Amino acid sequence: MSNVSRRTIDDPAAEAARLLARLSIMLLFIISQLAPILTRQTVYILLPIGAALLLLSASLAPETRRLREIAVLALTPTAFAAFFFVGWTGLSLAWTPFGAGPAERFAKSVATLALVAAACALLPARTKTSNLNLLPIGTAAAAAALAAVALVSASGGGQPVDLDSNALQRAGLGLALAIWPALGALALRGRWVSAAVVALVSVAACLLARAPNALPALIVGALVLTLSFGKARRAGSLLAITAAGLILLAPLAPILMHLAAPERLPAFAAPLETWGRIIASDGPRLFIGHGFGAAVFGVAGHYLYPDTPRSLLFQVWFDLGILGAFGLAAVVARAFYVIGRTRPVLAPFLLGGLATGLTICVLGPAAEQLWWLTLAGLDAIAFALVLKGQFRTRRPRVEPNWGMGRIVVR
């Protein structure tokens, strides 16, 4: 009789870690994409629960990163730039004119960033293919559901105009971010036809949901994706310089608009002229800003002009001044630079996703909302999972080796 090998008993802790990882990924990238289509507040609940399950899974897994490895990541130039930006933002609370509101907003933002950073840092060294497949599955399901609900809503009545109250538009912006890690997961396995189908369905759903500025952002992302294939390193370096220049030189256009004749400017240039007027009257505040939250609470409380820009660029310059703009420019530039040097098959999708998110922030007004930061955090965790995915593009071939009494996997 041939000797048949028996499967060894798996480590219970490792099995529990795998189960928790699967549950957390399903919660973060399937349920969290479907639920916000109908209800607006679920994303705030699902991210902490999913991230907590992911952290618990990482603590049980035998290949969990050690604290020394995490400390090495915290000492990178990108981490230093992020620490400086967050630290300067927190320091600006000392002179913000709106009291406890900005402080509460800052605490929630920092808690979200810390949770996302911890989840990304403590992920297992490798993402199983079965878990990686959940990303495109969740994105495709969310795109189909969003398109269906948008069509029904269009025939049944109008949606709220305010982005903060419109669940469909918010879900459309979240889908515009989720497309990119889903495409990256499919690209890892060489599923290019499936990637094209997911991309087309997702773009159609974003358009049907009328997500503000989603189409131009996706066009920018697609251009970056196309231009970075085969030359991701060069594209990452060029995008780093371009993004940093865009942030640091952003006030030049408003100043020129303000110096020109305001009555001759087109209607779409009115927010820029308003920004130029604010710059002209700011004086020393241009260097230190008005404090975190001043732009958002100033517009909401009608302390600023009605046509004040809703862009992230205005918020950073108005709230944090030159130092804050330098901090944000350093973070974004380092992100493009580092992403351009990741795996060649993934780098174009990562660059396209980052360019899409940055474009949405620049055009506004999503960047001023906490739910947008939460969606961006989910996107960051998704990209971290994809970066840890396996290269294998086909199932392993199983060959019986009866002479040795075992099965050989090739």
Side-chain angles (χ1 to χ4, degrees):
M1 175 180 284
S2 61
N3 181 25
V4 180
S5 63
R6 297 180 179 180
R7 183 183 177 184
T8 60
I9 299 177
D10 292 324
D11 181 11
E15 288 293 325
R18 283 191 283 268
L19 176 60
L20 289 174
R22 176 65 62 87
L23 290 176
S24 63
I25 293 173
M26 291 179 62
L27 186 66
L28 288 172
F29 305 116
I30 295 182
I31 299 177
S32 66
Q33 292 193 72
L34 291 171
I37 295 175
L38 299 176
T39 56
R40 296 183 293 110
Q41 302 298 326
T42 53
V43 67
Y44 300 116
I45 302 173
L46 295 176
L47 174 61
I49 296 176
L53 290 176
L54 202 57
L55 293 176
L56 182 58
S57 168
S59 66
L60 294 175
E63 68 273 16
T64 300
R65 290 189 173 188
R66 297 178 179 178
L67 294 179
R68 181 181 299 177
E69 298 177 3
I70 299 175
V72 171
L73 292 176
L75 296 177
T76 59
T78 306
F80 277 124
F83 292 149
F84 172 79
F85 180 71
V86 174
W88 177 252
T89 302
L91 182 62
S92 71
L93 292 173
W95 56 83
T96 187
F98 292 99
E104 180 182 357
R105 180 185 178 90
F106 176 76
K108 292 180 179 178
S109 301
V110 171
T112 302
L113 291 175
L115 191 62
V116 170
C120 293
L122 294 175
L123 285 174
R126 286 291 182 185
T127 301
K128 295 181 63 176
T129 303
S130 56
N131 290 337
L132 201 62
N133 290 336
L134 295 177
L135 293 179
I137 290 173
T139 301
L146 179 61
V149 174
L151 288 173
V152 172
S153 300
S155 60
Q159 287 285 323
V161 178
D162 183 20
L163 176 61
D164 192 40
S165 304
N166 195 313
L168 292 184
Q169 291 184 355
R170 290 172 55 169
L173 289 177
L175 185 62
L177 292 180
I179 293 173
W180 302 100
L183 298 182
L186 293 171
L188 268 182
R189 305 197 66 197
R191 305 293 178 85
W192 298 105
V193 175
S194 300
V197 172
V198 171
L200 291 175
V201 174
S202 299
V203 172
C206 292
L207 295 179
L208 290 173
R210 299 180 180 180
N213 300 320
L215 181 59
L218 289 172
I219 291 175
V220 171
L223 289 175
V224 170
L225 173 69
T226 304
L227 296 175
S228 59
F229 263 113
K231 43 189 175 182
R233 284 176 172 263
R234 180 182 300 178
S237 299
L238 291 176
L239 287 170
I241 297 172
T242 302
L246 175 65
I247 295 171
L248 296 177
L249 302 178
L252 291 181
I255 291 173
L256 293 176
M257 292 292 180
H258 178 66
L259 295 177
E263 63 277 0
R264 297 181 181 178
L265 294 176
F268 68 85
L272 290 178
E273 195 279 328
T274 300
W275 186 2
R277 202 183 322 156
I278 293 174
I279 293 175
S281 60
D282 258 354
R285 287 288 183 177
L286 186 64
F287 294 92
I288 64 171
H290 295 260
F292 178 71
V296 173
F297 286 90
V299 172
H302 305 288
Y303 296 101
L304 295 176
Y305 301 103
D307 55 354
T308 297
R310 309 288 293 275
S311 168
L312 175 65
L313 300 179
F314 171 78
Q315 293 175 34
V316 169
W317 275 94
F318 186 80
D319 289 358
L320 307 177
I322 292 177
L323 290 178
F326 268 104
L328 179 62
V331 171
V332 176
R334 283 294 305 177
F336 275 116
Y337 181 82
V338 172
I339 285 174
R341 281 148 180 78
T342 55
R343 299 180 184 179
V345 69
L346 284 178
F349 297 96
L350 295 172
L351 292 173
L354 184 56
T356 299
L358 181 62
T359 303
I360 293 176
C361 291
V362 169
L363 297 178
E368 66 185 24
Q369 305 293 339
L370 183 60
W371 56 262
W372 171 255
L373 180 63
T374 306
L375 293 177
L378 286 172
D379 196 54
I381 298 175
F383 274 132
L385 284 172
V386 175
L387 281 171
K388 298 174 184 296
Q390 298 177 2
F391 276 107
R392 183 175 290 160
T393 58
R394 60 183 177 85
R395 291 183 179 273
R397 183 162 51 92
V398 179
E399 295 180 355
N401 189 342
W402 303 114
M404 300 297 294
R406 57 190 177 89
I407 294 176
V408 179
V409 179
R410 298 185 184 276

